[in-house]
Amino acid sequence: EVQLVESGGGLVQPGGSLRLSCEVSGFTFSNYWMSWVRQAPGKGLEWVANIKQDGSEKYYVDSVKGRFTISRDNAKNSLYLQMNSLRADDTAIYYCARAMTTVTTWAYWGQGTLVTVSS
Amino acid sequence: DIQMTQSPSSLSASVGDRVTITCRASQSISSYLNWYQQKPGKAPELLISAASSLQSGVPSRFSGSGSGTDFTLTISSLQPEDFATYYCQESYSTPITFGQGTRLEIK
């Protein structure tokens, strides 16, 4: 059974940092592109970043470029999102998601972890 | 960036109704269009990929069509478990974008 479990969310002050993790099981992690998608409270879905199987390619939405870094550790079956210089509008549930054969079609999602940026 | 526009934003319908949700892309995306269902407090679930490919385990009352810029999601006969929010998403180019969502409510 495919499972994705996010962790690391919480309350952080504006300008602070947080590192999200997503531990996966039930599939060969190193074979798939992975992504982070977020959802602000009561709002729609927003793609944040994705990373190639070997980590050699990474892409970000403009609003997080230079502040967020996506990474992975294939030996640990884990995906990460390092978030720096956090702003109030980064407040959201952050989901990790696994691609299908198409890089940005997501058939598997974690349960999400809530990040709240507030003073 | 490609803009995805869904309509309607919300919809009230009854069990057994046939419902259609539309999604329009600001430029041609071929068939690079996915549909997701999201229930409150849950992660999205992929219903349809590549505009019309029904995912395994998804009931056959769901169907998708379209190509280029105009797409539709149809639910042929609404069931109680179908009341949720539906999102379209283009997988054509980065940044990947979603429609704003269509909230399907019980009439």
Side-chain angles (χ1 to χ4, degrees):
Chain A
E1 180 191 6
V2 172
Q3 288 194 322
L4 299 87
V5 180
E6 301 96 336
S7 61
L11 175 64
V12 60
Q13 292 188 338
S17 298
L18 213 54
R19 188 197 197 205
L20 306 183
S21 299
C22 173
E23 187 169 345
V24 312
S25 60
F27 64 97
T28 304
F29 181 63
S30 58
N31 285 354
Y32 293 92
W33 281 77
M34 295 293 297
S35 302
W36 288 98
V37 176
R38 67 184 178 183
Q39 186 170 35
K43 302 297 184 184
L45 299 165
E46 180 182 39
W47 167 76
V48 174
N50 56 14
I51 184 169
K52 194 176 180 180
Q53 291 92 327
D54 62 359
S56 62
E57 294 181 35
K58 305 175 184 181
Y59 301 93
Y60 301 90
V61 68
D62 281 351
S63 61
V64 309
K65 282 180 183 175
R67 300 188 301 122
F68 289 13
T69 302
I70 189 172
S71 62
R72 65 193 295 161
D73 185 334
N74 287 342
K76 294 184 177 179
N77 289 335
S78 292
L79 176 72
Y80 306 102
L81 187 67
Q82 177 66 44
M83 303 186 296
N84 299 331
S85 302
L86 282 161
R87 311 184 306 217
D89 63 357
D90 294 317
T91 294
I93 296 172
Y94 285 74
Y95 296 100
C96 68
R98 196 205 87 176
M100 293 176 62
T101 51
T102 306
V103 171
T104 49
T105 297
W106 301 297
Y108 298 97
W109 299 64
Q111 84 289 350
T113 187
L114 177 62
V115 173
T116 303
V117 184
S118 175
S119 55
Chain B
D1 299 2
I2 298 173
Q3 308 301 318
M4 305 301 294
T5 304
Q6 282 181 240
S7 61
S9 295
S10 64
L11 175 60
S12 294
S14 301
V15 172
D17 284 354
R18 180 183 179 90
V19 166
T20 297
I21 298 169
T22 65
C23 180
R24 175 164 288 178
S26 60
Q27 66 183 73
S28 177
I29 58 171
S30 184
S31 296
Y32 290 92
L33 191 283
N34 304 317
W35 289 99
Y36 297 86
Q37 178 193 67
Q38 187 178 33
K39 296 181 179 179
K42 300 293 187 181
E45 293 188 12
L46 180 64
L47 298 176
I48 290 170
S49 63
S52 60
S53 180
L54 194 67
Q55 294 305 292
S56 175
V58 175
S60 59
R61 62 182 179 272
F62 290 91
S63 64
S65 65
S67 66
T69 61
D70 294 317
F71 302 87
T72 60
L73 172 69
T74 300
I75 309 173
S76 60
S77 178
L78 273 173
Q79 298 302 301
E81 61 268 29
D82 300 337
F83 292 94
T85 300
Y86 293 85
Y87 294 95
C88 63
Q89 173 240 328
E90 59 86 8
S91 57
Y92 182 79
S93 66
T94 302
I96 303 304
T97 52
F98 290 86
Q100 79 279 16
T102 295
R103 185 175 180 181
L104 181 52
E105 300 174 321
I106 300 173
K107 183 182 287 184

